[in-house]
Amino acid sequence: MSQQNRDGVWNPAYHHSETLEMDRGSPERSQHQNPYASEDFRPQWDGGPTGRGGPEVLPPYDMERGPWDTTETIPMRPLPSEQDFGERYPATSPQVRNGFDNQGFEWEPANENSLAPPGWQQNSLEGHQAYRQGGESSLRQRGVRKYSLFPTGTLSTSALERLGFKEDEFQDVLEEERQDLVRELAAMSSRDRVRAVRQLPMNLQEKDQIRKTVLLMKTSEKQRQEQNCCTDCSQNVSMSFRRCGASLSAVPQALQLWQGTLKEIGGRFGTSVLSYFLFLKWLLMFNIFSFLVNFSFITVPQLFDHEAKNTGTFRGLEILTGAGYFSNSVLYYGFYSNGTVSGGSASGNSTSGMPQYNMQLAYFFTIGAYLVLCCISLVYSAARSFRENFMLAGAVVGNAGRLLSSWDFSVVNEKAVRLKQDNLRTQLKESLAEKTNENLSLTFSQKLARFGIHVAGWLVSTGMAAGCCAGVYFLCCYNMNLINKSPASQSLTVEAGTLLLPVVVSLINLVIPLLYSLFKKVEPFTFPRHQIYALIIRNVLLKMSILAMLCYFWLEQVVENDNINCWETFVGQDIYRLIIVDFIFCLLGSFFGEFLHNVIGTKCLSGLGVPEFDIARNVLDLIYAQTLAWIGIFFSPLLPAIQIIKLFLIFYLKKVSLMQNCQPPKRSWRAAQMMTTFILLLFFPSFSGALSVVAFIVWRKAPSKSCGPFRGLAVPYDAVSQWMDSVDIDFQGSSWAVWIYNNLIKSVLFFLIITLLVLILIYLYWQIVAGRKVLIVLLQEQITNEGKDKTFLLEKIEKLKAQNSAQTALASGREAQRGGAEVSHHTGSRAFQRSRRRSQDRGSRGLERGGVSTVDQGSRSTGRGRMPEYEPRSRGRDTALPGYVQEGLGTTSMLGSEREYPGRTDYLQEDPYSQEDGTGPPVPSALVQALLARRQAEEEDEEEGY
Amino acid sequence: MGNKQTIFTDEQLDAYQDCTFFTRKEILRLHTRYHELAPNLVPMDYTNDPDCKVPIQLIINMPELMENPFKERIVESFSEAGDGNLSFNDFVDMFSVLSEMAPRELKAIYAFKIYDFNTDNFICKSDLEQTLNKLTREELTPEEVNLVCEKVIEEADLDGDGKLAFADFENMISRAPDFLSTFHIRI
């Protein structure tokens, strides 16, 4: 290679560097001018040695233009005729010529040198990008997270050096960020600070250091503010308070139920099945809370009342029927007294010094407060889960989401992991297959058929639900007739007969959902998700309509029936039986549904397979039972206790059944969104239905005449109005409370205004949400546009780099070619240095553009302002050149230059002029110089355009 | 309770509590687990910050990680030197990020690190291929792997540079509601 060069290869890139040299020589000159357009420019060129003929210019130039034009898309103005060019600019400047009179000049170093900077430049660009990316992405949401995302781990010191950062410079930047962070943290309240520190994406030691710095800063500030001896003391106190609080906050964690079991379930069956158990646990907590409230505010005071005594005998069947012994106990409404209860033995007499306890009010307010608390906590959890899980879920997550976010890290069981991997593989294959025949669209008749099937499915399912409701209603009426015939009968058979209704209801609840799930065999759904939702809606419809029918029966038939002396207790017993029988059917369901399925599937019919745990059905069962419990809370305040026992047993039962019989679900189950749906279901038809039933009873239905706390009142709510009247008389100071009661609580206008306000507020928020949606769309468009800009600019940089390297390569070839004439090591090295300087200059300019295009793509206008920040760094690299030259050649992707260079050498080898006379044609060089200078000027024009 | 004082000082426990999502009790439990990994290496007394690291081999054999296809990457992402040997601080850090309490942004940052196999701060195609192979036990054909990876990049790459930067990744994660519950290891 060097052999040829010494022979004098004509190298056009040299001329490019030549123009650069001239740029540097005249810094005052306007950048946008085409140097060849100015007349002053000519003498400089004319002064150089001349004597090379014009005609010689043409062939090499022509040959050269080919590759230039194919690799370069920067538009050029039409050139003057080549002949003219050659005559006008016949030779190079003398200064440059000097440099190439060196025979022993080596090609290789110059080559390396000219190629290295682009590579280095790219490297540093990426470095910048990575660094900025690390900093900025974490910085976005909270000011606290300004600290670099990848502080040391990924950008090692050597890498930094390669990127052109002095290590201490980088440290300075980090240190600065750190200081900012510490200041920000110090300005926060201690609670926010702890939370912010916890969320810092760095390792523990760094967090700890930052925390200590902040604390130090805090204490020094405090000491400056108040030189008080109490400061120390108060600090100690606050510290111990914090420790105390921390240990208190650990208490609920210690109480956390079933931690190990849940971990085991999650480990074997994944998050989706786990979510069922978490839901169950959540319901259990709910019931424990309501039990505590009811027990302590209603039952405990009642137990002090010694007048009421239970005289029944316990026979055993009561556990199932809830009647008999239980019917006259604290379990039901009818047992509670209507008077005031005072402690001690002073049986209801207000003369004893003990405080009065009005059972009517206690009953009313406890139930009311409990329902309100339930409502708040339900709304809160539904809203939170909605916010977390439906935040941006509008767009369907395809492969990407499935691939990178679907892996369940909590699964630790080997078999489960393998199964999950297999399932994921099948899903991916399926989705690939779908992608390939995506265009398979349905014909109109097929669509019509599908629609028909759906309509039929809905008709059949709704019809079944209606039929079941009717059946339940007639059964209820039949039961009623039996009671009417023999009202006073206490025999066992009658009591057992009452079990008929709950058994039928539970049977319906068990069998009909199974029928519904058979629909999927005939009903085609495009997405499995739709199928699940349809199934859920049908099941909810069935269960809720049965419950509504029962409520209607209780409120219309039972209340009016004179043969029942305490209808609240009667309803309470009905609900009790429903809950107990539902539990038994739940046991049977898991036995037959899961255990037998498993046995048959593994032993007899292998086609049946091992059952999957049906999350939707099980969750709906839980919701149904909870609805019953909420409706029953008025009739039977201790129903939550039954519910607690039931849920507790169900947990273990389901766990055992799951572990023994089931396999993890095959389909990926969007557990988080499903959970949100379930909580919403629990809130909307279930809780709000129960609430309206209870409210209806309290405001509209006359209580029994002979039992319960509200006996003798027209409606239960009268207890409150009477109490308010008595308050008005008894306590003089509380007239404001009465005023509030009369003017606000009782006033329709007040609620009307509040409702209007809420509606207006909702409308406002609705509009804000709509606006934000538009904004999101706009921002997403902007992101894509920025991306396009980025790729465009990157391509541009690549091209420029390619051009640079090619030109410098040609320049060095030219140097070598000239070097054939004279032997002067000294000048050769000078030329070497000069060309190196040029390429560096070029490189730093490229970096500037890189800085504009990639780093600050969001704000191109400020990009210019930031340039100086990068420039010194890149210049600072000059000293360490040889190192990065090696690096650049060895590691970086000088795509453009490498792609282009071989072709160029080929051409150079074939150059007839270089073969003929060892010096090569000088006039073409002038032409090329002109051309390149012109192109450069145009580039600069472009650059300025940004 | 007397035992507690010998492992950590109160200040240390405060620091751990302020810097992680764990309570004191959980920190102590974590220490026990850490100690069990290498009883000869890890001292019981941590009051003077002993410098000891448990090698990667012992850590990835924890039952919580053993079957995880990304176990090496998880441990490497959390080790300070990137080699997978964890000091106790790294260990606590790891389970803190993987705990239930950690917010989505923090989890996303470390998930990104885990999936970024070649640590170039981008999830590029080769990273995706490795991820895919780990997720499917390398039983997809190369063409399928290629196709899926292209699809993923096409779907998630917002700025069109052919690889997923952290912003792309975070955006994708925010659309996958299950991520918060699945990027979670119970200890």
Side-chain angles (χ1 to χ4, degrees):
Chain A
M1 209 165 163
S2 60
Q3 188 81 38
Q4 281 171 356
N5 296 329
R6 216 172 277 124
D7 287 344
V9 179
W10 189 87
N11 186 354
Y14 153 68
H15 299 283
H16 187 248
S17 57
E18 184 55 29
T19 57
L20 276 178
E21 177 71 7
M22 290 192 324
D23 273 357
R24 274 155 59 91
S26 55
E28 278 91 8
R29 186 174 56 84
S30 159
Q31 294 254 314
H32 321 287
Q33 260 180 337
N34 183 348
Y36 298 95
S38 104
E39 284 296 306
D40 326 328
F41 201 65
R42 273 171 76 182
Q44 199 190 337
W45 290 91
D46 290 338
T50 53
R52 300 205 169 132
E56 285 174 15
V57 177
L58 297 173
Y61 176 70
D62 273 338
M63 286 180 74
E64 194 212 9
R65 194 160 64 170
W68 273 121
D69 282 352
T70 49
T71 55
E72 185 55 83
T73 54
I74 297 175
M76 288 187 288
R77 271 169 259 164
L79 288 164
S81 83
E82 283 140 344
Q83 182 80 38
D84 182 33
F85 235 79
E87 277 169 5
R88 262 201 216 172
Y89 311 116
T92 53
S93 84
Q95 182 208 3
V96 178
R97 265 191 70 97
N98 280 346
F100 300 97
D101 297 336
N102 180 2
Q103 205 170 18
F105 178 71
E106 287 285 309
W107 153 273
E108 292 288 3
N111 180 21
E112 266 185 318
N113 197 17
S114 62
L115 291 178
W120 158 75
Q121 172 191 333
Q122 170 167 352
N123 204 357
S124 93
L125 260 177
E126 276 174 5
H128 264 296
Q129 218 172 322
Y131 167 68
R132 308 273 334 165
Q133 182 258 338
E136 280 179 7
S137 59
S138 58
L139 167 151
R140 251 174 310 135
Q141 294 183 345
R142 292 190 181 81
V144 178
R145 292 173 59 195
K146 267 183 192 162
Y147 208 71
S148 169
L149 172 56
F150 307 107
T152 47
T154 46
L155 292 179
S156 65
T157 319
S158 64
L160 287 176
E161 257 171 27
R162 203 164 62 235
L163 301 183
F165 290 108
K166 295 263 169 56
E167 194 189 344
D168 49 344
E169 251 176 57
F170 188 71
Q171 290 301 331
D172 282 351
V173 175
L174 277 187
E175 188 53 37
E176 214 169 276
E177 280 188 5
R178 211 183 113 103
Q179 293 295 332
D180 283 352
L181 178 72
V182 167
R183 266 194 295 278
E184 261 177 58
L185 284 173
M188 289 178 170
S189 74
S190 62
R191 214 183 133 173
D192 285 346
R193 192 173 60 235
V194 168
R195 205 167 50 210
V197 167
R198 278 178 184 170
Q199 294 182 4
L200 287 176
M202 55 180 83
N203 70 27
L204 216 137
Q205 251 161 344
E206 290 163 11
K207 277 192 218 174
D208 191 28
Q209 275 171 6
I210 284 182
R211 173 180 164 270
K212 278 188 181 133
T213 333
V214 173
L215 285 181
L216 215 70
M217 205 157 146
K218 275 267 184 193
T219 44
S220 63
E221 259 174 32
K222 261 190 196 147
Q223 276 167 359
R224 235 179 293 133
Q225 278 166 7
E226 38 173 323
Q227 293 289 339
N228 203 332
C229 65
C230 293
T231 347
D232 208 37
C233 180
S234 74
Q235 251 174 26
N236 280 342
V237 169
S238 74
M239 197 63 176
S240 52
F241 260 118
R242 276 193 52 212
R243 280 182 190 157
C244 185
S247 49
L248 269 182
S249 72
V251 168
Q253 272 185 335
L255 282 178
Q256 258 181 9
L257 212 51
W258 303 319
Q259 193 66 37
T261 318
L262 288 175
K263 187 179 162 186
E264 197 186 339
I265 293 170
R268 270 187 64 178
F269 294 91
T271 318
S272 54
V273 174
L274 183 67
S275 64
Y276 166 80
F277 285 89
L278 288 174
F279 187 71
L280 202 159
K281 194 179 139 185
W282 186 71
L283 278 183
L284 182 71
M285 292 301 158
F286 228 88
N287 280 295
I288 288 177
F289 162 73
S290 60
F291 171 73
L292 287 179
V293 168
N294 282 355
F295 187 74
S296 48
F297 290 104
I298 301 178
T299 311
V300 169
Q302 183 62 40
L303 288 176
F304 281 106
D305 190 9
H306 297 276
E307 271 179 358
K309 282 280 186 292
N310 193 351
T311 51
T313 48
F314 191 75
R315 286 178 298 177
L317 193 64
E318 283 92 341
I319 293 178
L320 275 183
T321 62
Y325 173 80
F326 280 146
S327 55
N328 204 15
S329 70
V330 284
L331 196 55
Y332 297 117
Y333 167 92
F335 183 73
Y336 292 89
S337 63
N338 64 341
T340 54
V341 176
S342 52
S345 54
S347 54
N349 205 332
S350 56
T351 47
S352 71
M354 301 294 281
Q356 304 282 312
Y357 196 87
N358 189 330
M359 275 311 291
Q360 273 183 357
L361 291 176
Y363 205 91
F364 182 88
F365 283 120
T366 309
I367 303 284
Y370 165 67
L371 288 177
V372 167
L373 283 176
C374 273
C375 183
I376 289 172
S377 72
L378 266 177
V379 167
Y380 174 75
S381 25
R384 201 181 59 175
S385 122
F386 197 77
R387 193 185 59 214
E388 275 172 9
N389 301 325
F390 280 83
M391 193 167 54
L392 261 174
V396 180
V397 185
N399 283 325
R402 199 175 295 157
L403 198 59
L404 289 182
S405 62
S406 71
W407 184 255
D408 202 335
F409 281 71
S410 62
V411 175
V412 293
N413 184 283
E414 191 194 340
K415 261 164 78 182
V417 169
R418 291 187 155 254
L419 205 72
K420 215 171 159 51
Q421 285 172 331
D422 291 344
N423 288 337
L424 200 72
R425 194 172 58 239
T426 339
Q427 277 170 33
L428 282 173
K429 283 193 167 169
E430 274 170 13
S431 73
L432 282 179
E434 272 170 33
K435 285 267 157 52
T436 47
N437 52 18
E438 208 171 35
N439 300 327
L440 190 99
S441 60
L442 296 168
T443 61
F444 180 71
S445 60
Q446 275 172 320
K447 273 184 192 164
L448 205 68
R450 264 193 179 198
F451 185 72
I453 292 176
H454 284 311
V455 169
W458 281 101
L459 280 179
V460 170
S461 61
T462 326
M464 281 164 103
C468 292
C469 285
V472 167
Y473 186 73
F474 287 121
L475 190 66
C476 288
C477 290
Y478 173 76
N479 272 352
M480 210 58 180
N481 287 335
L482 276 186
I483 291 168
N484 285 340
K485 273 181 203 159
S486 54
S489 159
Q490 287 282 320
S491 72
L492 265 176
T493 44
V494 170
E495 230 181 286
T498 55
L499 281 175
L500 182 63
L501 174 72
V503 168
V504 168
V505 170
S506 298
L507 255 181
I508 290 171
N509 277 332
L510 187 71
V511 174
I512 303 289
L514 287 177
L515 288 180
Y516 283 170
S517 57
L518 283 182
F519 279 18
K520 74 180 168 197
K521 302 254 193 251
V522 280
E523 211 178 356
F525 278 97
T526 327
F527 298 105
R529 201 168 65 244
H530 293 175
Q531 189 190 336
I532 292 174
Y533 278 117
L535 197 66
I536 288 174
I537 291 172
R538 285 168 189 172
N539 279 327
V540 168
L541 208 67
L542 172 79
K543 287 177 197 241
M544 290 305 145
S545 54
I546 288 179
L547 279 180
M549 190 48 73
L550 285 173
C551 286
Y552 173 77
F553 169 74
W554 289 325
L555 297 184
E556 292 302 316
Q557 302 283 317
V558 176
V559 175
E560 310 296 327
N561 197 323
D562 295 328
N563 289 322
I564 300 165
N565 56 357
C566 191
W567 66 267
E568 286 95 345
T569 301
F570 182 86
V571 174
Q573 284 171 354
D574 262 355
I575 291 175
Y576 177 90
R577 283 191 287 265
L578 280 170
I579 287 181
I580 294 289
V581 174
D582 181 64
F583 172 61
I584 292 166
F585 270 76
C586 180
L587 300 184
L588 292 177
S590 22
F591 178 78
F592 286 110
E594 282 151 11
F595 175 68
L596 281 188
H597 188 161
N598 183 30
V599 170
I600 295 171
T602 46
K603 300 270 158 57
C604 313
L605 289 164
S606 52
L608 207 59
V610 183
E612 276 180 36
F613 188 75
D614 191 344
I615 303 165
R617 190 169 58 82
N618 282 298
V619 171
L620 287 178
D621 282 347
L622 287 182
I623 291 179
Y624 166 76
Q626 189 56 41
T627 318
L628 273 179
W630 272 323
I631 295 173
I633 195 97
F634 182 79
F635 308 106
S636 167
L638 287 191
L639 217 50
I642 311 293
Q643 188 74 358
I644 289 170
I645 297 166
K646 182 183 161 180
L647 289 174
F648 205 79
L649 291 177
I650 284 182
F651 184 90
Y652 283 105
L653 181 87
K654 289 285 173 192
K655 186 205 136 192
V656 170
S657 168
L658 184 75
M659 294 290 182
Q660 299 298 322
N661 304 325
C662 295
Q663 61 172 357
K666 280 205 189 86
R667 226 186 359 241
S668 76
W669 174 268
R670 306 175 99 190
Q673 286 191 19
M674 276 298 161
M675 242 39 237
T676 314
T677 319
F678 288 138
I679 293 179
L680 284 176
L681 278 179
L682 190 67
F683 177 70
F684 171 58
S686 159
F687 178 75
S688 42
L691 191 67
S692 41
V693 168
V694 172
F696 183 73
I697 293 165
V698 168
W699 266 274
R700 286 284 176 274
K701 283 291 158 193
S704 309
K705 302 254 177 337
S706 56
C707 64
F710 301 115
R711 68 189 88 160
L713 297 173
V715 292
Y717 180 70
D718 279 353
V720 178
S721 36
Q722 282 179 8
W723 176 61
M724 284 318 287
D725 292 345
S726 70
V727 162
D728 201 13
I729 298 159
D730 292 351
F731 307 98
Q732 301 303 322
S734 63
S735 53
W736 56 270
V738 179
W739 185 88
I740 286 176
Y741 174 76
N742 284 330
N743 290 295
L744 298 184
I745 309 277
K746 271 167 81 180
S747 141
V748 178
L749 187 69
F750 175 70
F751 284 104
L752 189 74
I753 290 169
I754 287 207
T755 316
L756 275 179
L757 281 178
V758 168
L759 282 179
I760 289 169
L761 216 68
I762 288 173
Y763 179 73
L764 278 179
Y765 273 103
W766 184 275
Q767 287 305 308
I768 290 172
V769 167
R772 293 226 168 116
K773 272 183 190 156
V774 173
L775 195 69
I776 286 174
V777 172
L778 285 178
L779 286 174
Q780 272 171 348
E781 269 173 25
Q782 201 180 333
I783 289 174
T784 29
N785 283 338
E786 295 291 353
K788 279 179 196 161
D789 280 5
K790 191 170 122 187
T791 39
F792 173 74
L793 290 168
L794 277 175
E795 270 170 29
K796 209 117 220 193
I797 290 174
E798 287 291 320
K799 266 177 199 156
L800 279 177
K801 271 190 305 191
Q803 184 190 341
N804 276 343
S805 52
Q807 281 161 357
T808 31
L810 285 173
S812 33
R814 184 84 179 157
E815 285 166 22
Q817 167 208 358
R818 304 241 164 159
E822 292 169 38
V823 185
S824 162
H825 210 80
H826 180 239
T827 45
S829 66
R830 255 176 61 199
F832 166 77
Q833 275 174 358
R834 198 166 49 241
S835 77
R836 194 176 74 183
R837 216 163 53 226
R838 278 178 220 131
S839 48
Q840 277 157 21
D841 190 42
R842 198 70 179 139
S844 70
R845 272 173 2 109
L847 189 65
E848 280 177 9
R849 297 192 66 168
V852 177
S853 61
T854 58
V855 179
D856 287 309
Q857 48 168 308
S859 53
R860 209 173 287 131
S861 55
T862 59
R864 287 250 156 205
R866 285 205 195 180
M867 258 185 248
E869 197 185 321
Y870 296 102
E871 195 138 20
R873 275 182 200 152
S874 60
R875 299 215 174 195
R877 291 294 312 135
D878 284 9
T879 46
L881 199 67
Y884 80 70
V885 167
Q886 296 296 339
E887 293 269 15
L889 262 188
T891 59
T892 59
S893 56
M894 335 156 309
L895 291 168
S897 53
E898 268 175 357
R899 252 201 322 269
E900 204 175 359
Y901 191 67
R904 196 145 297 279
T905 34
D906 287 348
Y907 151 67
L908 292 174
Q909 283 160 0
E910 288 161 16
D911 186 355
Y913 289 88
S914 58
Q915 302 296 327
E916 276 172 29
D917 55 6
T919 52
V923 184
S925 70
L927 210 155
V928 169
Q929 272 171 0
L931 201 141
L932 292 174
R934 177 170 203 153
R935 177 175 299 141
Q936 186 204 343
E938 278 163 5
E939 274 168 40
E940 281 162 357
D941 269 338
E942 253 179 52
E943 249 182 299
E944 211 57 32
Y946 288 130
Chain B
M1 273 313 201
N3 196 19
K4 175 177 143 188
Q5 296 307 318
T6 58
I7 301 175
F8 295 111
T9 61
D10 263 358
E11 283 72 30
Q12 277 176 316
L13 280 175
D14 280 338
Y16 279 125
Q17 214 173 311
D18 281 359
C19 297
T20 67
F21 297 95
F22 291 123
T23 58
R24 294 165 161 250
K25 229 175 152 179
E26 285 167 315
I27 294 286
L28 292 172
R29 202 169 76 213
L30 275 173
H31 178 264
T32 322
R33 291 295 307 270
Y34 189 68
H35 180 77
E36 279 166 7
L37 286 176
N40 303 326
L41 244 92
V42 181
M44 275 311 275
D45 180 17
Y46 252 78
T47 44
N48 46 4
D49 287 324
D51 178 36
C52 85
K53 288 188 170 186
V54 173
I56 180 168
Q57 277 312 319
L58 292 175
I59 292 192
I60 61 175
N61 280 327
M62 284 178 78
E64 279 83 0
L65 291 172
M66 200 156 70
E67 294 299 331
N68 197 312
F70 300 104
K71 54 189 175 186
E72 289 93 359
R73 279 303 305 155
I74 298 175
V75 178
E76 278 162 21
S77 308
F78 284 96
S79 69
E80 210 180 334
D83 56 359
N85 302 336
L86 296 190
S87 67
F88 180 64
N89 282 350
D90 298 334
F91 187 77
V92 173
D93 231 12
M94 178 165 83
F95 284 108
S96 170
V97 170
L98 287 166
S99 77
E100 205 169 2
M101 304 288 288
R104 190 189 291 270
E105 296 91 35
L106 191 65
K107 280 180 184 259
I109 286 169
Y110 283 96
F112 183 80
K113 279 190 179 184
I114 287 171
Y115 292 129
D116 181 15
F117 282 83
N118 53 9
T119 60
D120 62 351
N121 291 339
F122 288 101
I123 294 183
C124 50
K125 213 169 155 193
S126 68
D127 295 327
L128 283 175
E129 278 165 10
Q130 288 194 54
T131 309
L132 196 59
N133 283 333
K134 282 193 184 297
L135 282 179
T136 58
R137 267 190 289 142
E138 312 192 9
E139 285 176 24
L140 287 177
T141 61
E143 294 83 50
E144 284 170 327
V145 170
N146 198 23
L147 212 62
V148 171
C149 292
E150 271 169 13
K151 271 269 171 297
V152 170
I153 288 182
E154 187 190 310
E155 266 174 43
D157 186 18
L158 291 177
D159 53 9
D161 56 358
K163 47 194 177 181
L164 306 186
F166 178 69
D168 300 328
F169 182 76
E170 204 186 21
N171 182 47
M172 189 184 79
I173 287 297
S174 71
R175 285 155 187 269
D178 280 350
F179 171 74
L180 205 58
S181 54
T182 53
F183 195 71
H184 174 198
I185 294 180
R186 284 163 197 273
I187 180 99

